[in-house]
Amino acid sequence: MSTPLLLDTDPGCDDALAIVFALEHADIDLVGLTSIFGNAPTADTTRNARSILELFDRTDVPVAAGADEPLLVDLDTAEHIHGPGGIKGDLPEPTTATEPVSVPAAQFIVDQAREHEGELTLAAVGRLTNVALALALEPDLPDLLDETLIMGGSAFEAGNVSPLASANFWGDPHAARRVVRDTDPTVVPLDATQHSGLPAAWIEGLARDAPRSGAVYEWATYYSQDDLDRYGIETAAIHDVMALAGLVDDDLLEMEAHFMEVGADDGLAQGALAVDVQGTRDEDPNGRVALGVDADRYRELVTDTIDRAIE
Ligand code: BDR
Ligand code: CA
């Protein structure tokens, strides 16, 4: 049976690959996309989400536009990593076929959770603002969902926007703190994602003259350049895909249940994910966190799925 999935996303090169993975994999039923700022402002990520659906002929998937700003901190975007407008490549301008639904993302999340009560996975792979707003609208949201899945945080791995924080938590630390505290989440942090890039040979083998594989090539290569420049890692760590890959393969991620909290202070503690692996606070676990991955198995799953999508 396939998992109904609502993806909250800020496309974004790795988000784009996660959308393609979710559209293609038989064990996932993508019921909608909600957009959020992060890799670019929300107007851009909403347009990108729609363009990706159109490129892959999936205009049946509804899009809901998300919040424009973090709860308290200033907006911070990452076009320098993902490309102009938040994504590398020339995606087609979206048409009326993917016009966003009339309700904002937070309401759409609540509506979908009620419609698929007890079955829906809400995967958030951008800033957590929409999810925090949905929680404010419906405090019982976690009980309506099967799972809240988050790509974000860096528990023991170095952060990518500060020594302690990943972009998704740094960019709205108050939302991240609330969502991690209150949803019993599954968290996939940089600890799992950062060193598991796609094989360079696979990326090089992608056809560049066909629209879909050409787009995948652009996303993977452009995103890889930043990892190479900053960390000397040769292929792109496509963080967001890994969160979804764990949904379809139980043996992929090394999950541990721990007490976790996100720092919402300013300064270097902003957006830091603290995972109490030693139980120093004597608190019950409030979620699960992926601290490792079977990287070869992951690469095979992702390349096979994306190959099918661009055939
Ligand atoms: C995360 O931040 C975003 O820029 C990426 O799309 C990913 O979700 C990685 O830290
Ligand atoms: Ca993302």
Side-chain angles (χ1 to χ4, degrees):
M1 214 188 73
S2 60
T3 302
L5 172 74
L6 178 58
L7 183 62
D8 189 77
T9 175
D10 59 333
C13 294
D14 61 330
D15 300 77
L17 291 164
I19 293 169
V20 174
F21 182 89
L23 290 173
E24 179 60 31
H25 202 285
D27 294 350
I28 294 177
D29 173 18
L30 187 64
V31 304
L33 298 177
T34 49
S35 61
I36 189 62
F37 56 83
N39 295 325
T42 302
D44 290 336
T45 61
T46 307
R47 183 199 58 234
N48 297 342
R50 295 170 59 192
S51 296
I52 294 161
L53 291 175
E54 298 208 8
L55 180 63
F56 284 83
D57 281 335
R58 288 299 305 274
T59 56
D60 57 301
V61 177
V63 176
D68 289 315
E69 289 183 346
L71 299 181
L72 294 171
V73 300
D74 291 337
L75 178 67
D76 183 26
T77 57
E79 291 91 339
H80 56 294
I81 294 173
H82 290 263
I87 194 161
K88 182 71 171 80
D90 297 318
L91 283 169
E93 269 302 309
T95 68
T96 51
T98 53
E99 202 64 56
V101 298
S102 59
V103 293
Q107 184 63 54
F108 189 72
I109 290 171
V110 172
D111 292 348
Q112 289 296 312
R114 289 182 180 142
E115 189 173 326
H116 301 274
E117 187 170 345
E119 292 177 355
L120 185 69
T121 293
L122 171 62
V125 298
R127 278 53 167 173
L128 289 152
T129 319
N130 289 335
V131 185
L133 293 172
L135 267 175
L137 287 173
E138 174 50 278
D140 291 335
L141 181 68
D143 297 333
L144 296 172
L145 295 169
D146 179 42
E147 184 175 19
T148 305
L149 180 59
I150 298 169
M151 189 284 126
S154 49
F156 304 103
E157 176 73 29
N160 58 8
V161 288
S162 81
L164 294 176
S166 76
N168 287 345
F169 285 8
W170 170 275
D172 192 341
H174 302 88
R177 183 181 177 87
R178 170 101 203 262
V179 173
V180 168
R181 188 189 65 197
D182 291 345
T183 64
D184 186 29
T186 301
V187 180
V188 181
L190 297 182
D191 304 67
T193 65
Q194 184 66 66
H195 299 284
S196 305
L198 295 176
W202 176 80
I203 296 173
E204 276 309 306
L206 291 165
R208 292 157 214 189
D209 50 359
R212 293 179 186 170
S213 61
V216 169
Y217 176 82
E218 296 266 26
W219 301 334
T221 47
Y222 193 79
Y223 205 39
S224 292
Q225 195 57 46
D226 178 65
D227 273 349
L228 185 60
D229 293 347
R230 289 206 287 171
Y231 310 117
I233 298 172
E234 283 198 3
T235 63
I238 46 167
H239 312 277
D240 294 344
V241 185
M242 190 175 287
L244 303 191
L247 262 186
V248 301
D249 182 349
D250 288 343
D251 296 325
L252 197 66
L253 297 170
E254 293 160 22
M255 301 298 312
E256 297 183 19
H258 293 294
F259 179 68
M260 295 178 268
E261 199 168 80
V262 177
D265 309 325
D266 59 6
L268 289 185
Q270 176 172 329
L273 172 68
V275 179
D276 193 4
V277 284
Q278 301 197 102
T280 56
R281 301 302 298 170
D282 201 21
E283 300 268 8
D284 289 336
N286 60 350
R288 291 147 305 285
V289 58
L291 294 179
V293 62
D294 182 336
D296 290 339
R297 192 175 167 118
Y298 169 65
R299 291 185 178 109
E300 196 180 327
L301 171 65
V302 175
T303 54
D304 283 357
T305 307
I306 294 181
D307 276 342
R308 282 201 304 278
I310 60 180
E311 252 170 22

